[in-house]
Amino acid sequence: MSRIATAAIAALLIIGHAHAAEPITLRDMGSFHVGGRLVEISGKAVREVVFAPGGVPAKVDPNGTYQVEQMYVQYFLPANEKGAYPLLMWHGGGLTGVTYETTPDGREGWLNYFLRKGWAVYNSDAVERGRAGWAQYPDIFKGEPVFLTTANPFERFRIGDGPNSYDPDPAKRKLLPGNQFPVEGYENFVKQNVPRWTTTDDATIAAYIAEIDRVGPSVLLFHSQAGTFGFKVAQARPDKVKALIAIEPAGIGDPAKADVLKNIPTLIIYGDYIERDSRWPKIRANGIAFADAIKAAGGSVDIVDLPQAGIKGNSHMVMMDKNNLEVAALIQKWLEGKGLTK
């Protein structure tokens, strides 16, 4: 290889390193479980279980005391902290904290983005999800879990163009025009889906309250199903919640207690294609009505419809879309404008 060619390769390597993201430097990281309760189970038959092929059967007595309804939290504390308060990330229904990690197509997620901006980030798996663990059902978790087909999120999360837009063959899937979801990573996305219950809201709210009581004053960033959790937890601990960032909230807080949120700056973000969906116009209307109730009580709520802000094509999974960092920058600017950075 000639000296000129070698020099050219070296120059390219230097350029590549110059454009690579700076390493994330942490002063600490770790995890903990929080919340939950003890429950007694009785009246069940003792059975024998072989735990490994060729093993010796062991008697398993299901009667006794169980620890249930706890939540898992993983935290990352940057060396150069610039957020005035920790940032707590809460995921939506049928999902876990993976929501905010690396995107399905391998790009940087919001967890890393906000760490780079100097926020202490606490990312959780809520009650009944992921590393929080399950409990017996219907004995403890009432009812049965809801499982999603591979087609369901594609058609319901405003990725595909409505019902019957999903096809096992990626080439035959019908996308909404200009959609920003990374469809090349869709199979990776559905691997993140986990079962969920519709009967554990009270336990989840209790666990999130326990998280705030442990962490202290915080900013809450929450998505979809966690809309209910974020607003209700803020109503339960208004002195400890310093800001609310609701990403397409599918639920709201208690309208009768909207005034409790009047001193908490709130940002609500909605993506694209809402008017084309069968459910989201009503869901958004509920969110706007709740925001109006907060404002009527003297509160501050900023509502951003991304298409009107010039950010187009977003699905329900805004934090995973190809323009996810553009939306994250909008949130960062809002936080800075509210005086929530050092």
Side-chain angles (χ1 to χ4, degrees):
M1 185 179 292
S2 69
R3 290 182 179 179
I4 294 176
T6 302
I9 292 171
L12 287 172
L13 288 172
I14 291 170
I15 292 170
H17 285 303
H19 285 83
E22 289 295 320
I24 295 174
T25 306
L26 302 177
R27 61 180 170 84
D28 195 14
M29 65 176 290
S31 62
F32 56 86
H33 283 82
V34 69
R37 62 191 178 100
L38 297 175
V39 177
E40 193 77 18
I41 294 287
S42 61
K44 301 289 185 178
V46 177
R47 55 198 178 95
E48 286 194 340
V49 176
V50 177
F51 288 101
V56 178
K59 289 187 182 297
V60 175
D61 185 351
N63 302 292
T65 303
Y66 292 85
Q67 171 68 52
V68 302
E69 296 175 353
Q70 62 279 349
M71 184 174 72
Y72 173 82
V73 182
Q74 189 172 29
Y75 60 88
F76 305 85
L77 309 181
N80 184 16
E81 194 164 336
K82 297 178 181 178
Y85 303 97
L87 179 63
L88 277 50
M89 293 183 166
W90 298 354
H91 59 76
L95 297 164
T96 68
V98 175
T99 290
Y100 298 107
E101 297 175 11
T102 306
T103 65
D105 60 332
R107 291 171 294 111
E108 186 159 88
W110 281 6
L111 192 159
N112 282 22
Y113 174 88
F114 285 102
L115 266 178
R116 292 186 189 283
K117 292 296 182 181
W119 292 89
V121 178
Y122 288 69
N123 192 28
S124 58
D125 290 355
V127 173
E128 61 154 76
R129 314 289 175 82
R131 286 175 283 185
W134 283 17
Q136 290 93 324
Y137 64 92
D139 304 86
I140 298 171
F141 289 168
K142 303 305 178 186
E144 295 184 349
V146 177
F147 294 79
L148 299 182
T149 65
T150 54
N152 184 289
F154 189 87
E155 298 175 356
R156 190 163 59 89
F157 289 177
R158 306 197 317 275
I159 299 169
D161 196 1
N164 303 313
S165 59
Y166 177 82
D167 192 281
D169 181 353
K172 296 179 180 178
R173 295 172 190 171
K174 300 174 184 176
L175 293 168
L176 283 163
N179 189 276
Q180 292 277 4
F181 188 86
V183 290
E184 63 272 27
Y186 184 74
E187 277 65 29
N188 286 333
F189 173 58
V190 296
K191 290 176 183 178
Q192 299 177 16
N193 296 166
V194 296
R196 61 170 288 189
W197 276 259
T198 60
T199 56
T200 59
D201 282 12
D202 289 346
T204 303
I205 289 170
Y208 277 135
I209 290 174
E211 180 189 11
I212 286 187
D213 286 345
R214 174 165 175 162
V215 175
S218 304
V219 173
L220 309 186
L221 187 157
F222 49 91
H223 175 237
S224 196
Q225 180 202 18
T228 298
F229 307 145
F231 289 123
K232 287 190 174 181
V233 168
Q235 288 174 325
R237 294 290 188 272
D239 58 323
K240 293 182 179 178
V241 176
K242 299 305 178 181
L244 295 169
I245 304 164
I247 309 299
E248 294 218 340
I252 58 175
D254 183 350
K257 298 179 180 178
D259 63 305
V260 175
L261 304 178
K262 66 181 180 181
N263 296 320
I264 304 175
T266 300
L267 173 65
I268 304 178
I269 293 177
Y270 294 102
D272 213 335
Y273 314 110
I274 284 178
E275 71 285 350
R276 297 176 64 138
D277 190 79
S278 61
R279 299 168 63 248
W280 269 97
K282 176 61 176 175
I283 294 172
R284 182 185 178 281
N286 290 341
I288 299 302
F290 187 64
D292 288 343
I294 297 171
K295 289 189 283 188
S300 170
V301 183
D302 296 306
I303 298 168
V304 176
D305 288 289
L306 292 176
Q308 295 180 17
I311 303 175
K312 299 181 179 181
N314 285 99
S315 71
H316 181 50
M317 303 305 300
V318 179
M319 67 294 298
M320 297 179 183
D321 289 335
K322 292 181 178 179
N323 59 0
N324 67 333
L325 298 188
E326 186 177 3
V327 181
L330 182 153
I331 295 170
Q332 174 68 15
K333 184 177 180 180
W334 182 85
L335 287 164
E336 291 171 355
K338 296 300 180 182
L340 293 167
T341 54
K342 298 177 181 179

